């Protein structure tokens, strides 16, 4: 007897389904990319597990993905011979949303706010994109290594519930069948499907097969009426893109590969593809996105997907943490190492010398790439800085060795800049320093307006000295280790002495003498609360301001620390 169970989706799944079906309508074709990429992931996972247990692969054919369609039944089917899922895995992976990022995303949307397609695309709706074109989705799946009777059938109309029942399946892996909604018949077409496979999945490293159409397109247009056992042909290139020579890869192929990695609809800003030969050989293909992906926007520390580690073309794991420092977490791509043992574990990777070298090379390449962008493509670079400038600033704290290189790439708001926009580089600043000016001056505050309106700036304005306006949360942390740039110290405007010429010094001494009785009085009144009261050249319009001794913490930082409970 078969027992069919009906279960409800998690509340979040219902929400995602709603969002997806409403927001992705103009990008509906991506369902095919998402389902093929899941099938490819499943093949990757099986190949990896089979390293430890080769019997998992035995007897049931090569790793591959079959895409077919049936005009009469109005279905599209994507079948893989990958790892498959057991019942609990189906419930956990397809009935719920595991990613905490997705949860935060939904919370951030609030009740009436609508997510636009771009946002949704950035976090990768994955499996649920099937419901953009289908009103019923059936999944048949059996985990590799399990007997035929251990299969599972999952079915849903994508509204609130799904059903689960046991199934007997001859073949390991997963078959996803989409029953198309009315009006989606354009996808029941061999040409169309083939074109989509080419466009989005050409580089998938496993063969994607489609039924051969034996010149039938001309015969009578009834190409879907395939024989019982259709003849299959491979529709994609099936080579791992990064293993091909650069000169043979078009920009479009690079961009399509990028999109399949990062769940991003948008083009990458730029990329770098390199092969290192030598005692240790490896290939890197690294991309800079053009806009912040979902996880970064959400400040998510836990979702570091997007840099995949392969060993001789076998996918090992998402290894962004092992391959890149945290401040470069926006990078997407692939690293393929020749010389690591296939059965490496995460623990081994963390202390592996070879991996250290690869990591070093990745950091260098990424910084090269950002530098190149800043030199050659100012507009793209400006967009990149808007998206990732603050992330990059973390590198000043995190990566001593590259501090100067990173500092060169940063952009700030300044009293000689373009308002709030962060466009001024430290080189710009140093290049227009006033004569006799020996420091890079900055002010910190918790907003641009507060920084730009600080009374501390008066004297600097009066002397034509530029001041950097720092108002991002990360700035105070960054300024701790960023003591100097190009041999010039960075100084807070509230600290130390202003650069004065001789005449000014004389004038100030005179003023100090005249004000001596007043200073005594104020000191008496303020008592312990201040260390000193002085006549200052800092001010032109305001009567007084608070200044800091050289060793004191900036007030803004002091407050941040208090807030952090330090
Ligand atoms: P993602 O691929 O980003 O994890 P998806 O929504 O695309 O998110 O898929 C959710 C999960 O469902 C996958 O992580 C995987 O565990 C499982 N899954 C989906 N499709 C397949 C498949 N063809 N074979 C095996 N597992 C699958
Ligand atoms: Mg997926």
């Amino acid at each position: 007897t078969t027992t069919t169970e009906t279960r409800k989706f998690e509340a979040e799944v219902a929400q995602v389904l709603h969002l997806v079906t409403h927001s992705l309508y103009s990008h509906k074709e991506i369902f095919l990319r998402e389902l093929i990429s899941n099938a490819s992931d499943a093949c990757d996972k099986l190949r990896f597990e089979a390293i430890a247990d080769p019997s998992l692969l035995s007897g049931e054919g090569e790793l591959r993905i079959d895409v077919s369609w049936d005009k009469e039944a109005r279905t599209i089917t994507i079948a893989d011979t990958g790892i498959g899922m057991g019942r609990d895995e189906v419930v956990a992976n397809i009935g719920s949303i595991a990613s905490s990022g997705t949860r935060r995303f939904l919370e951030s949307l609030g009740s009436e706010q609508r997510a636009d397609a771009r946002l949704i695309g950035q976090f990768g709706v994955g499996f649920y994109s099937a419901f953009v074109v289908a009103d019923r989705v059936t999944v048949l799946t059996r985990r590799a290594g399990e007997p035929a009777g251990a299969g599972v059938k999952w079915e849903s109309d994508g509204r609130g519930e799904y059903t689960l029942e046991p199934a007997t399946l001859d073949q390991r892996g997963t078959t996803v069948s989409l029953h198309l909604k009315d009006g989606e018949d354009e996808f029941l077409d061999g040409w169309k499907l083939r074109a989509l496979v080419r466009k989005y999945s050409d580089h998938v490293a496993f063969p994607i097969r489609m039924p051969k159409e034996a010149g039938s397109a001309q015969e009578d247009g009834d190409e879907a009426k395939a024989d019982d056992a259709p003849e299959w042909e491979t529709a994609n290139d099936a080579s791992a893109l990064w293993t091909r020579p650069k000169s043979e890869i078009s920009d479009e192929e690079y961009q399509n590969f990028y999109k399949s990695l990062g769940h991003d609809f948008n083009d990458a800003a730029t990329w770098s593809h390199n092969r290192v030969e030598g005692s240790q050989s490896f290939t890197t293909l690294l991309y800079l996105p053009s806009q912040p992906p979902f996880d970064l926007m959400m400040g998510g520390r836990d979702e570091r997907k997007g840099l995949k580690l392969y060993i001789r073309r076998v996918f090992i794991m998402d290894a962004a943490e092992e391959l890149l420092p945290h401040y470069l977490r926006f990078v997407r791509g692939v690293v393929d190492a020749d010389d690591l043992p296939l059965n490496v574990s995460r623990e081994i990777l963390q202390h592996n010398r070879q991996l250290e070298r690869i990591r070093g090379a990745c950091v260098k390449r990424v910084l090269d790439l950002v530098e190149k962008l800043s030199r050659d493509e100012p507009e793209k670079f400006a967009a990149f800085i808007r998206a990732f400038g603050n992330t990059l600033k973390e590198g000043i704290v995190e990566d001593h060795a590259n501090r100067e290189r990173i500092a060169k790439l940063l952009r700030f708001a300044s009293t000689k800049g373009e308002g709030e926009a962060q466009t001024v580089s430290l080189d710009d600043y140093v290049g227009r320093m006033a004569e006799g000016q020996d420091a890079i001056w900055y002010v910190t505050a918790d907003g641009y307006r507060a920084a730009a309106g600080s009374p501390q700036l008066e004297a600097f304005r009066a002397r034509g000295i530029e001041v950097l306006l720092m108002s991002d949360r990360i700035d105070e942390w960054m300024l701790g280790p960023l003591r100097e740039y190009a041999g010039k110290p960075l100084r807070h405007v509230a600290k130390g002495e202003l650069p004065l010429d001789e005449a000014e010094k004389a004038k100030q001494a005179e003023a100090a003498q005249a004000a001596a009785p007043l200073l005594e009085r104020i000191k008496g009144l303020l008592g312990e609360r201040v260390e000193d009261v002085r006549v200052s050249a800092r001010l032109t319009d305001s009567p007084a301001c608070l200044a800091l001794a050289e060793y004191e913490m900036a007030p803004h930082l002091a407050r941040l620390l208090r807030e952090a409970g330090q």
Side-chain angles (χ1 to χ4, degrees):
T1 57
T2 39
T3 45
T4 306
E5 248 185 288
T6 303
R7 303 171 61 120
K8 278 200 188 329
F9 282 118
E10 271 187 17
E12 286 89 352
V13 176
Q15 250 179 302
V16 166
L17 282 168
H18 181 83
L19 276 172
V20 165
T21 42
H22 288 82
S23 314
L24 277 188
Y25 210 68
S26 50
H27 301 272
K28 15 183 193 186
E29 62 192 36
I30 64 143
F31 79 89
L32 193 63
R33 177 190 84 191
E34 292 294 329
L35 295 178
I36 289 177
S37 98
N38 283 351
S40 165
D41 290 348
C43 292
D44 270 335
K45 283 179 201 159
L46 177 54
R47 192 155 63 174
F48 181 61
E49 284 195 15
I51 296 165
D53 180 4
S55 73
L56 287 177
L57 272 175
S58 64
E60 288 176 279
E62 54 164 2
L63 291 166
R64 61 159 190 268
I65 301 157
D66 289 346
V67 176
S68 57
W69 69 99
D70 182 332
K71 257 192 172 154
E72 262 138 60
R74 307 192 59 254
T75 56
I76 294 176
T77 300
I78 296 107
D80 65 67
T81 56
I83 189 78
M85 287 176 275
R87 182 187 173 282
D88 294 346
E89 290 171 299
V90 172
V91 172
N93 299 335
I94 296 189
S96 66
I97 289 180
S99 144
S100 55
T102 308
R103 252 185 208 127
R104 283 200 303 274
F105 171 72
L106 290 170
E107 281 160 16
S108 78
L109 282 180
S111 50
E112 74 263 60
Q113 225 177 326
R114 292 191 38 192
D116 68 26
R118 230 186 44 223
L119 223 52
I120 301 248
Q122 276 168 24
F123 83 102
V125 289
F127 177 80
Y128 301 113
S129 61
F131 289 103
V132 177
V133 294
D135 53 20
R136 186 159 39 87
V137 176
T138 310
V139 178
L140 292 167
T141 184
R142 199 191 91 201
R143 204 169 202 290
E146 298 289 325
V152 182
K153 179 179 174 188
W154 177 101
E155 196 163 58
S156 176
D157 62 4
R159 292 213 195 113
E161 293 175 344
Y162 60 88
T163 59
L164 267 183
E165 61 191 75
T168 299
L169 304 172
D170 304 337
Q171 173 79 43
R172 67 156 192 259
T174 303
T175 300
V176 179
S177 300
L178 314 183
H179 183 268
L180 295 187
K181 292 177 183 170
D182 283 341
E184 304 298 348
D185 295 34
E186 60 169 315
F187 295 109
L188 293 171
D189 176 275
W191 287 104
K192 172 88 182 175
L193 289 175
R194 218 171 286 268
L196 289 177
V197 167
R198 285 265 163 67
K199 177 168 173 194
Y200 290 119
S201 310
D202 204 29
H203 63 273
V204 165
F206 303 95
I208 301 172
R209 304 190 316 175
M210 296 183 72
K212 203 168 193 164
E213 289 183 62
S216 64
Q218 289 96 335
E219 260 169 38
D220 57 2
D222 201 5
E223 70 269 36
K225 203 186 270 173
D227 297 335
D228 286 327
E231 232 189 292
W232 296 88
E233 65 185 355
T234 302
N236 66 329
D237 187 60
S239 76
L241 183 91
W242 65 91
T243 61
R244 287 164 46 196
K246 271 203 255 198
S247 56
E248 287 173 19
I249 307 174
S250 70
D251 285 1
E252 200 190 348
E253 285 176 295
Y254 276 120
Q255 291 288 16
N256 283 330
F257 182 65
Y258 166 73
K259 286 171 196 165
S260 75
L261 283 172
H263 294 294
D264 195 347
F265 283 148
N266 306 289
D267 279 351
T270 180
W271 59 87
S272 158
H273 183 189
N274 289 90
R275 167 105 191 127
V276 174
E277 302 277 2
S279 60
Q280 187 190 351
S281 304
F282 57 92
T283 301
T284 56
L285 172 52
L286 305 170
Y287 291 87
L288 300 183
S290 53
Q291 351 191 352
F294 168 71
D295 57 326
L296 270 175
M297 279 175 355
M298 307 306 295
R301 279 201 162 231
D302 44 342
E303 359 265 322
R304 293 194 54 194
K305 279 195 175 180
L307 195 55
K308 292 174 185 284
L309 175 66
Y310 287 75
I311 296 176
R312 294 184 292 283
R313 294 180 56 175
V314 178
F315 173 72
I316 305 296
M317 64 182 92
D318 277 298
E321 254 157 290
E322 288 76 13
L323 295 169
L324 281 173
H326 193 244
Y327 76 98
L328 296 180
R329 61 188 176 278
F330 47 80
V331 173
R332 298 284 176 267
V334 167
V335 169
D336 194 338
D338 290 8
D339 306 324
L340 290 167
L342 270 174
N343 58 355
V344 284
S345 67
R346 186 140 252 156
E347 291 66 43
I348 293 175
L349 274 183
Q350 271 158 359
H351 307 284
N352 183 288
R353 274 255 216 62
Q354 285 163 302
L355 205 75
E356 276 299 299
R357 279 200 47 210
I358 297 178
R359 185 182 160 106
C362 287
V363 172
K364 188 182 168 301
R365 297 253 180 265
V366 173
L367 293 179
D368 286 348
L369 205 51
V370 181
E371 271 165 16
K372 195 156 162 285
L373 201 65
S374 77
R375 254 195 334 267
D376 304 343
E377 300 188 79
E379 257 165 54
K380 276 191 187 173
F381 178 71
F384 173 81
I385 282 293
R386 276 196 300 279
F388 303 111
N390 278 346
T391 317
L392 209 55
K393 283 176 187 169
E394 294 172 21
I396 297 285
V397 184
E398 198 182 346
D399 188 352
H400 314 220
N402 289 303
R403 191 168 288 159
E404 186 96 359
R405 274 191 92 180
I406 298 165
K408 204 182 191 65
L409 296 167
L410 301 179
R411 296 294 182 267
F412 303 98
S414 126
T415 52
K416 293 192 179 169
E418 304 159 43
E420 201 164 344
Q422 304 188 353
T423 54
V424 175
S425 71
L426 291 172
D427 287 329
D428 294 337
Y429 185 103
V430 170
R432 58 188 179 223
M433 272 168 64
E435 212 176 294
Q437 183 184 344
D438 55 3
I440 297 170
W441 295 95
Y442 65 86
V443 64
T444 53
D446 53 13
Y448 168 77
R449 278 159 162 262
S454 164
Q456 310 274 6
L457 299 186
E458 289 171 9
F460 290 85
R461 279 221 180 80
R463 287 173 177 74
I465 296 174
E466 180 168 14
V467 178
L468 301 176
L469 306 170
M470 309 271 193
S471 57
D472 287 319
R473 240 166 193 282
I474 179 72
D475 289 339
E476 289 285 5
W477 305 109
M478 169 194 74
L479 287 161
L482 190 62
R483 290 271 156 73
E484 57 166 53
Y485 179 78
K488 313 270 186 252
L490 270 83
R491 303 186 137 213
H492 195 291
V493 291
K495 278 188 191 178
E497 288 306 318
L498 276 181
L500 297 178
D501 59 29
E502 289 309 313
E504 282 177 315
K505 277 185 191 154
K507 218 171 108 193
Q508 209 197 337
E510 208 174 288
Q513 205 150 34
L518 175 64
L519 294 187
E520 278 312 312
R521 227 178 129 221
I522 299 177
K523 257 191 245 183
L525 285 170
L526 293 176
E528 296 266 290
R529 278 174 288 181
V530 298
E531 203 174 87
D532 198 9
V533 180
R534 269 179 302 197
V535 167
S536 168
R538 290 175 181 286
L539 299 169
T540 53
D541 298 329
S542 302
C545 71
L546 287 170
L548 294 171
E550 200 62 52
Y551 54 84
E552 266 178 316
M553 216 179 256
H556 179 58
L557 178 58
R559 194 166 66 244
L560 278 180
L561 285 174
R562 269 200 307 279
E563 278 170 19
Q566 304 273 316

